[in-house]
Amino acid sequence: MDSAHDTALDAAPKTDKLVEVFDRAMRRFNDTVPCQLEMRQLSLMARRFCDIPGAQWEGEWGEQWANTIRVEVNKISRGVEKIETDYRENRIVPDFRPGGGDSDQDTADMLDGLHRADSYKFKAQQARDNAFFEAIRGGFGAYRLTNELDDPYDKDNDYQRINPGMTIVDADQSVFFDLNSKLYDKSDARFAYVVTAYSMDAFKDQFGEESATSWPDATFRLQYDWFTPDMVRVAEYYEKEDKAETLLVFTQTLTGIEERLWLSDVEPEYIQEQQAKGWTVTRKRRKRCRVHKYVMSGAEILKDCGYVAGECIPIVPVYGKRYFIDNMERWKGHVQDRMDAQRLYNSNVSKLAETNALAPREMPIFLAEQMPPHLAEQWAAQNIERHPYALVDPVIDNDGNYVVTGPIGKIDPPQLAPVQAALLQIANQDLTELDQDGAGEVRANVSAEAMDIAAARVDAKSGVFLDNMRQSVEREAEIYLSMARDVYFEPGRKVETMTEDGDDGEAILQEMIADKTGTIRIRNDLQRGKYKVVASVTEATATRRDKTVKSSLAMAEIALQAQDIEFAQAAYITAVMNSDGEGIDQLQAFARRKGIAIGLVEPNEEEQAAIDEAAANEQPDPTADAVAAQAVALQAQAAKDVAMAANYEAQTGLNEARIAETEAKTIETLAGARKLATEGEMAQFRPLPRLEPR
């Protein structure tokens, strides 16, 4: 009895807290949505306008053309498809780099491979594509990150992995951020909503039939579809919480290495184990930001999901074009500015089609007595049966004479009004100028360089959208890194990685290794150091590989002209390894082996092991041994020749010294002789001949 009473007391504060959270979430939603209804309605209209048949006549414009022919010639889609093509040809991939502290390049490379492997496993590129396509049409898209079990059907596997891209559909109607957030990536937002529609059966299976109260609809429509499924909307509410928590600072007494963990994230046994290993523990009070997630219906909180992994709201916004006016965030895509020109074009083309259908050709007018029933049928089938001639009955006067007469008149086909022709020309010109894509046409007598310049100019039209997507991918990587610290933390855990070329790899978390200096360090530890993210958008039309191939071939040609065979070979190998084409795999593998042999390509672990094994198992070659012995003999003879040359030089120097000494003595003798002659002791003096060196 007492235990049940205690349980009720424990449950009461929790219920009151959830009621308070629900009221706060509903109040914030009501403050956020109304001021954005019109903009979000225009965003939805633009997406429908571009992709749904008949949607270009929705709204008041279509009401003006009721009961008439309504033609759709979708000229906007050409510009949209061009931006999509530029995006698909230039995938934006984040690059993790060391940002200070105990970060290192090995761990940054592991993060790159881990992110690629997770993206491949969960098909995250589909979520990014959907968000980008919604953004270029309506101006806003979004996707989110989640952490999921590595294998939900393996009872012995408790490891989790991060899904870097879960699809959010109709983001302009389902994703809402804090109005006070001003940054593009919404990293400064304090709360966010994701509204998801469930079918009635799916909602009953997950939450129960008694809770089937739909979250308020934030969609303002001018046009409704006749057939839509019966859906129940559920809101996922993310809220940031700043709380003071205890931070544990573990310090290794011998090495001075520090490890910082929150008290709420560790077990008491871990603290005891670290202390037993010689770590000292210091406690500090620090402010910590966590993100709390709730699932709500229109009447209550259906589920308290607790704190999500990481410290960021795991929702990535994607904008087409974004700006602030009157202190309110606004956006638009590629379609909005072209809708009026498209409507004007369609209306004029429809008018032409209607006029042509009502009066397609010139028609003669006859008297009634000239067209009896049997001839009327012939004239009616004239266009279909293509008769070689047509007949009419003659007209007879009062005297019984035939009166030869033709048609009494004719109905002329309608002429295109000058105003209508001008409007049609203006609308077509506006749409053509806005979405002109001349770079796709190969023209005669135009150099490749000029075509590349034209392509770059056309690609600039996609630059805003691609650059905004780059910011979104950077935000995705920042959220991913924040979540990875909480998901990939187990020492010794093997995680999957992937290279840029799609090759599988493997890394070990918190692996101890010895670097080149023999120092023991830990790599792949996401709890240490800081990392930053850099994402870039390359030029469209020509991919990076195509440009690499072109540049490598040009450098190879220059190297051949300079007779640098080794450099030319390296350039050719680079060109082959970056080429794309069917059946080129074997050639690229051969080129890679050649690149490894000349030192151009660094071998991977498997290739290095094969090289070492081949070197160990290599049998001695008698011919090679003979050549080597001959080389040694030649080297010895060369050394002997060098020694003999040195001896000769020494002997020559000795001879020169002796000659110099003889010359000095001779000069001294001559000087003495001159002195004797001066004193009269010699009557005649004949100098000695000069000695030449031999």
Side-chain angles (χ1 to χ4, degrees):
M1 191 72 175
D2 292 338
S3 61
H5 178 67
D6 294 340
T7 304
L9 291 177
D10 294 338
K14 181 179 180 181
T15 304
D16 293 341
K17 179 184 177 182
L18 293 181
V19 172
E20 180 183 351
V21 170
F22 178 81
D23 293 340
R24 182 170 62 251
M26 188 65 72
R27 183 178 65 255
R28 287 176 169 177
F29 189 78
N30 292 334
D31 293 340
T32 301
V33 172
C35 61
Q36 297 184 355
L37 275 178
E38 182 180 2
M39 180 182 61
R40 291 177 179 269
Q41 181 261 329
L42 292 174
S43 182
L44 176 61
M45 184 187 301
R47 291 193 293 119
R48 293 176 60 89
F49 190 92
C50 184
D51 293 328
I52 296 182
Q56 294 187 3
W57 293 95
E58 291 179 349
E60 297 178 355
W61 184 268
E63 295 174 0
Q64 299 294 324
W65 298 85
N67 302 320
T68 62
I69 295 177
R70 297 192 292 189
V71 177
E72 282 189 358
V73 182
N74 195 346
K75 285 179 165 285
I76 292 180
S77 61
R78 185 181 186 185
V80 172
E81 291 171 358
K82 175 63 172 64
I83 299 174
E84 289 183 3
T85 302
D86 291 347
Y87 167 73
R88 290 184 182 276
E89 290 181 352
N90 298 274
R91 293 301 189 186
I92 305 171
V93 180
D95 180 22
F96 294 91
R97 300 181 183 179
D102 295 332
S103 60
D104 58 87
Q105 187 60 47
D106 290 340
T107 305
D109 294 340
M110 186 273 296
L111 276 170
D112 289 336
L114 187 62
H115 180 268
R116 284 190 288 264
D118 286 342
S119 295
Y120 179 80
K121 174 180 175 59
F122 294 104
K123 297 179 174 60
Q125 191 60 48
Q126 297 180 14
R128 301 187 192 101
D129 292 348
N130 178 77
F132 183 78
F133 298 158
E134 289 188 3
I136 62 177
R137 288 166 171 80
F140 181 74
Y143 60 100
R144 57 181 169 177
L145 291 82
T146 60
N147 53 296
E148 304 175 15
L149 288 173
D150 184 13
D151 186 353
Y153 298 102
D154 186 356
K155 61 182 178 59
D156 298 324
N157 187 357
D158 293 330
Y159 289 145
Q160 294 188 17
R161 296 183 66 171
I162 300 175
N163 180 358
M166 176 175 282
T167 302
I168 298 178
V169 297
D170 294 325
D172 52 15
Q173 309 300 312
S174 60
V175 176
F176 304 88
F177 285 97
D178 180 4
L179 286 179
N180 295 317
S181 59
K182 305 299 183 183
L183 297 179
Y184 172 94
D185 57 12
K186 298 302 178 183
S187 59
D188 57 341
R190 301 297 302 175
F191 60 86
Y193 302 84
V194 177
V195 180
T196 305
Y198 287 82
S199 66
M200 184 60 70
D201 291 338
F203 182 89
K204 291 178 181 179
D205 293 340
Q206 188 164 354
F207 302 107
E209 184 177 2
E210 65 280 358
S211 301
T213 303
S214 187
W215 182 263
D217 189 4
T219 304
F220 179 69
R221 298 175 181 267
L222 294 177
Q223 185 77 19
Y224 288 88
D225 295 326
W226 284 101
F227 303 101
T228 57
D230 186 14
M231 309 297 287
V232 179
R233 289 177 298 278
V234 174
E236 297 180 24
Y237 175 60
Y238 297 86
E239 183 180 51
K240 283 186 177 180
E241 297 179 0
D242 292 333
K243 292 184 177 180
E245 290 193 19
T246 301
L247 178 67
L248 302 179
V249 181
F250 296 88
T251 305
Q252 177 57 254
T253 55
L254 297 178
T255 61
I257 298 176
E258 284 190 358
E259 182 179 13
R260 294 171 176 255
L261 299 173
W262 296 102
L263 178 61
S264 58
D265 293 342
V266 299
E267 299 292 337
E269 294 79 5
Y270 179 80
I271 301 175
Q272 297 175 3
E273 291 177 0
Q274 292 297 94
Q275 289 177 334
K277 294 178 181 179
W279 293 73
T280 60
V281 182
T282 305
R283 297 171 182 261
K284 299 181 180 180
R285 295 291 290 178
R286 290 289 180 86
K287 201 172 185 180
R288 185 183 188 187
C289 178
R290 301 295 301 275
V291 178
H292 208 132
K293 177 183 175 181
Y294 304 90
V295 179
M296 303 180 179
S297 68
E300 60 182 334
I301 292 181
L302 300 175
K303 184 178 181 182
D304 182 357
C305 302
Y307 293 114
V308 302
E311 301 176 353
C312 306
I313 296 176
I315 304 174
V316 181
V318 181
Y319 293 92
K321 297 179 181 178
R322 174 181 178 267
Y323 42 89
F324 277 85
I325 299 178
D326 293 335
N327 198 36
M328 191 177 82
E329 182 185 51
R330 303 174 189 270
W331 62 70
K332 64 180 179 181
H334 178 81
V335 177
Q336 281 93 324
D337 292 339
R338 295 157 175 79
M339 291 173 64
D340 285 345
Q342 180 69 72
R343 290 189 179 109
L344 189 61
Y345 184 85
N346 285 344
S347 63
N348 280 276
V349 172
S350 299
K351 185 64 177 177
L352 288 175
E354 182 180 15
T355 303
N356 185 66
L358 295 176
R361 61 186 177 86
E362 181 182 289
M363 292 188 299
I365 302 174
F366 294 97
L367 295 173
E369 55 267 28
Q370 290 181 278
M371 197 65 64
H374 68 281
L375 293 180
E377 293 177 359
Q378 183 188 43
W379 278 87
Q382 181 70 27
N383 289 339
I384 300 174
E385 298 179 2
R386 302 291 182 181
H387 298 153
Y389 56 87
L391 302 174
V392 293
D393 279 357
V395 178
I396 303 175
D397 59 13
N398 294 331
D399 298 332
N401 299 320
Y402 289 100
V403 179
V404 180
T405 180
I408 63 174
K410 64 179 180 178
I411 300 176
D412 294 327
Q415 301 296 322
L416 182 63
V419 174
Q420 187 176 1
L423 286 175
L424 186 61
Q425 183 179 2
I426 291 173
N428 183 62
Q429 183 177 357
D430 289 342
L431 290 172
T432 303
E433 289 179 353
L434 289 172
D435 293 327
Q436 190 172 9
D437 187 12
E441 302 175 1
V442 179
R443 302 176 182 177
N445 301 324
V446 178
S447 65
E449 291 77 8
M451 290 294 294
D452 289 342
I453 294 173
R457 183 172 61 252
V458 173
D459 295 338
K461 298 180 180 180
S462 307
V464 174
F465 300 96
L466 295 178
D467 187 68
N468 283 345
M469 187 63 189
R470 176 191 61 80
Q471 296 186 65
S472 298
V473 172
E474 282 187 357
R475 180 56 182 168
E476 172 202 327
E478 292 171 359
I479 298 173
Y480 182 90
L481 177 60
S482 177
M483 297 177 65
R485 299 182 189 276
D486 293 341
V487 175
Y488 300 112
F489 64 91
E490 303 92 343
R493 173 183 171 181
K494 294 183 179 180
V495 294
E496 297 178 10
T497 60
M498 180 178 289
T499 65
E500 292 184 3
D501 296 330
D503 297 331
D504 295 332
E506 189 176 75
I508 300 176
L509 298 180
Q510 301 184 26
E511 180 183 17
M512 298 187 64
I513 62 170
D515 58 18
K516 296 180 179 179
T517 62
T519 304
I520 302 298
R521 64 181 183 88
I522 299 177
R523 69 177 179 183
N524 302 336
D525 186 359
L526 302 180
Q527 310 302 321
R528 303 174 184 272
K530 299 179 181 180
Y531 295 89
K532 59 183 179 181
V533 184
V534 177
S536 60
V537 181
T538 58
E539 293 180 81
T541 304
T543 62
R544 289 179 296 174
R545 285 182 177 270
D546 293 337
K547 288 195 171 185
T548 300
V549 172
K550 184 184 298 184
S551 301
S552 299
L553 292 177
M555 287 186 288
E557 184 177 356
I558 295 174
L560 286 176
Q561 294 176 357
Q563 297 183 354
D564 191 342
I565 306 301
E566 185 178 4
F567 189 89
Q569 184 182 14
Y572 274 124
I573 291 174
T574 303
V576 173
M577 292 179 62
N578 286 276
S579 299
D580 290 325
E582 185 176 357
I584 201 173
D585 295 342
Q586 297 298 327
L587 180 60
Q588 288 180 331
F590 175 76
R592 179 175 177 83
R593 290 193 296 270
K594 296 281 289 184
I596 294 174
I598 66 175
L600 176 66
V601 180
E602 290 291 335
N604 55 34
E605 295 182 359
E606 295 181 359
E607 292 168 338
Q608 186 62 48
I611 292 173
D612 296 340
E613 183 179 358
N617 297 332
E618 186 177 0
Q619 298 295 330
D621 187 0
T623 304
D625 291 344
V627 172
Q630 185 177 2
V632 171
L634 291 174
Q635 290 179 355
Q637 182 64 35
K640 180 179 179 181
D641 293 341
V642 170
M644 292 179 65
N647 186 23
Y648 176 76
E649 290 180 358
Q651 185 65 36
T652 302
L654 180 60
N655 293 336
E656 290 179 351
R658 290 176 178 175
I659 292 170
E661 182 180 1
T662 303
E663 288 181 349
K665 290 181 178 181
T666 302
I667 293 172
E668 183 179 359
T669 303
L670 290 174
R674 288 193 182 99
K675 183 176 179 181
L676 292 175
T678 303
E679 295 176 352
E681 297 179 357
M682 289 184 62
Q684 190 176 4
F685 173 75
R686 181 177 297 173
L688 294 176
R690 178 181 178 84
L691 298 178
E692 297 294 335
R694 296 182 180 178

